[in-house]
Amino acid sequence: MKKSQNICDLESCFLCKNCLDEWKPAIATHKINYKVKKGEVIFKEGDPVTGIYFVNSGSVKVYKKWDKDKELIVRFAREGSLFGHRGLGKGGFYPISAAALQPTVVCYVDIAFFEATLKVNANFTYQLLMFLTEELKQSERKMRNLAHMPVKGRVAEALISLQNQFGTTAEGFINIDLSRQDLASYAGATYETVFRMMNELVNEKLIGLSGKSIRLINHQELLKLAQDVVFI
């Protein structure tokens, strides 16, 4: 990563939106912006925790390695979102990795300043608690789906989740350039299985494809697939 002269507006990210106006000059003093190339790793699992990151522009995938060459994408961080918070608490090492999905600018603050921010800004601390609570719910849902939901349903849910998070382009495609391998890692399946499920969804006229771009055609039917949980 290289330091960037990118000027943050001190308004858009999760940190700035929820802090006191009087605290923003301190943020401006302590933050460091970095330019990250597409595919570049920002930190990896096992690295010592030194600070927290916020996405200024671009997008980031947060993932865990579960085999030598395989990964499970835990979540995506888009513009304004924070990441690296899973390394907070005891231990002092990141339990996940993070890499840029496209050319990205991130904002970094060190742990000492982040902890001071929590103590001074009650609203920021509250909003962070609400964020962590929702993230825990999503993680528990993902664990259940990996155990009980057919792959086709997991792919449908992954596509719905991506559209909800990133929106759509003027042409109606999900507004993120995501490789099929990353989609497979997000759905918790192999590339080959996801490729087959995508073809089935196209043949059933539930989605449309144009290169890497994906358009959701029948949202209701995709929702039904995403609710197809089988308990044994």
Side-chain angles (χ1 to χ4, degrees):
M1 298 190 296
K2 293 184 178 180
K3 285 188 179 181
S4 168
Q5 297 301 315
N6 178 274
I7 303 299
C8 172
D9 61 8
L10 295 176
E11 297 290 340
S12 303
C13 80
F14 186 88
L15 175 64
C16 296
K17 284 193 299 184
N18 295 298
C19 280
L20 296 166
D21 287 340
E22 294 83 355
W23 192 249
K24 291 179 181 178
I27 297 173
T29 300
H30 286 85
K31 74 178 181 65
I32 303 173
N33 289 108
Y34 292 102
K35 286 183 178 179
V36 191
K37 298 177 182 178
K38 179 179 179 179
E40 186 176 358
V41 174
I42 299 167
F43 57 80
K44 63 180 183 296
E45 191 171 344
D47 282 350
V49 176
T50 59
I52 305 295
Y53 296 83
F54 301 84
V55 181
N56 188 283
S57 63
S59 55
V60 171
K61 66 176 180 180
V62 179
Y63 61 96
K64 284 188 71 70
K65 289 286 186 181
W66 60 280
D67 202 353
K68 183 179 180 181
D69 300 314
K70 297 178 182 178
E71 62 188 39
L72 177 66
I73 294 179
V74 177
R75 62 181 286 261
F76 296 100
R78 56 169 298 177
E79 186 173 324
S81 300
L82 80 162
F83 64 102
H85 56 283
R86 289 174 181 248
L88 292 172
K90 295 180 180 179
F93 297 94
Y94 289 111
I96 38 76
S97 302
L101 287 169
Q102 61 191 95
T104 297
V105 176
V106 299
C107 175
Y108 167 88
V109 294
D110 64 47
I111 285 294
F113 179 72
F114 184 78
E115 290 178 347
T117 300
L118 291 174
K119 295 172 183 177
V120 172
N121 295 270
N123 182 59
F124 174 73
T125 303
Y126 173 77
Q127 294 299 333
L128 179 62
L129 176 61
M130 293 299 100
F131 169 80
L132 294 174
T133 300
E134 184 59 32
E135 188 176 66
L136 178 59
K137 290 178 183 178
Q138 294 298 325
S139 295
E140 290 172 341
R141 178 183 175 89
K142 195 175 187 72
M143 288 175 62
R144 183 204 65 180
N145 290 350
L146 286 172
H148 299 290
M149 182 180 283
V151 176
K152 194 172 184 179
R154 299 207 303 270
V155 172
E157 182 172 68
L159 294 175
I160 293 169
S161 174
L162 289 170
Q163 180 164 293
N164 288 343
Q165 186 171 3
F166 292 95
T168 57
T169 65
E171 296 77 22
F173 293 100
I174 299 174
N175 192 23
I176 182 174
D177 184 14
L178 195 67
S179 71
R180 293 293 183 266
Q181 182 57 63
D182 279 342
L183 177 59
S185 298
Y186 189 44
T190 64
Y191 173 89
E192 293 77 13
T193 302
V194 168
F195 182 82
R196 187 171 68 254
M197 293 300 104
M198 293 287 284
N199 285 337
E200 287 187 16
L201 293 174
V202 169
N203 292 334
E204 294 167 8
K205 295 182 171 53
L206 301 186
I207 67 171
L209 301 178
S210 178
K212 289 184 179 180
S213 299
I214 305 170
R215 181 175 64 247
L216 307 191
I217 297 174
N218 193 328
H219 197 272
Q220 288 303 314
E221 288 301 316
L222 288 169
L223 275 174
K224 289 180 182 179
L225 287 174
Q227 294 168 356
D228 184 16
V229 179
V230 179
F231 293 102
I232 301 175

